[in-house]
Amino acid sequence: PSAHTPGVRGGSGGGASKGGHHGGVDPRGRDPLMPGDIEDPEEEEDEEEDTPSEEEEEEEEEDSSEISASDEDGSWIAWFCGLRGNEFFCEVDEDYIQDDFNLTGLNGLVPYYDYALDMVLDVEMPMEDSLTEEQQEIVESAAEMLYGLIHARYIVTNRGMHAMYEKYRSASFGRCPHVFCQGQPVLPVGLSDLPRNYTVNVFCPRCHGLFFPKSTRQANIDGAYFGTTFPHLYLMTHPEMIPVRPSQQYVPRVYGFKINQSSLYFRNHEDDALMTNTDSRRNSRASRSRQGGGGGRR
């Protein structure tokens, strides 16, 4: 700061040297300097004094950051759902979490269960000081896992479905990439109800296709935090939300001609179709035999 004080700055000396020719004639025959051509050193000092220093700007930024941090009085649940990549989550009501019946069996899946539950509910942990830094990180990770498993149970309730409906209506889960689905909103689904097995996928109600989320952040979420039941139970509960299946079907062509069904191009598809038809015929024969047996006993 002392280097920026007007008393030790060299600008006043420069102003004096300019003042030596003020209003005079240049000895080399040039036109005399006009008063407007000379800058007043006092005006320069006033402008530099009004300009804040870098240290003052840093202090103002620190003050603003402290103010913004102090304004964040939201709950842990609101903070967690507001993180980038957690847009799939809805906010679970605290009264649902406080009901021990809704948490049955989770204490065996989540480490530091009591500490994690207190963190989710914003309960001050009296034993926090006794935890090491490594244990504190484990508790924070356990709190996220606990909330995810609670979330999977909550979204199959009426309140949870209503909260997810708002996200589904605004296409917060993304849209189906299938061309003929015409941007149909999708629903999140897991391939397992147990954590740390599969990441979350999205299910299209129109074509019944399963896809990866568009965002890589969301693609890293554990699929157990949404479970295997939610999208299907949601559509069964709200049948008016079930869209019509696409009427169009893509037909591969080469130079405008359809590919022959007997070509190698369709070999794998034919094998799958053959296995499907064989299984269906077996099931139909078994059902007929059971029906015939029942009629004979009568």
Side-chain angles (χ1 to χ4, degrees), residues 162-238:
H162 178 73
M164 297 295 277
Y165 164 74
E166 297 297 332
K167 291 180 173 289
Y168 174 65
R169 185 178 63 175
S170 60
S172 298
F173 307 122
R175 298 182 182 274
C176 179
H178 197 283
V179 173
F180 298 126
C181 286
Q182 300 177 349
Q184 168 66 39
V186 294
L187 292 166
V189 66
L191 297 180
S192 175
D193 293 316
L194 297 177
R196 297 175 179 174
N197 285 329
Y198 301 96
T199 56
V200 68
N201 298 111
V202 290
F203 172 79
C204 176
R206 186 180 293 270
C207 67
H208 290 188
L210 202 64
F211 307 96
F212 291 109
K214 186 176 181 180
S215 172
T216 55
R217 292 177 180 268
Q218 297 164 350
N220 293 326
I221 301 176
D222 198 316
Y225 299 165
F226 301 89
T228 59
T229 301
F230 164 67
H232 317 298
L233 181 61
Y234 175 82
L235 296 174
M236 293 172 63
T237 307
H238 304 282

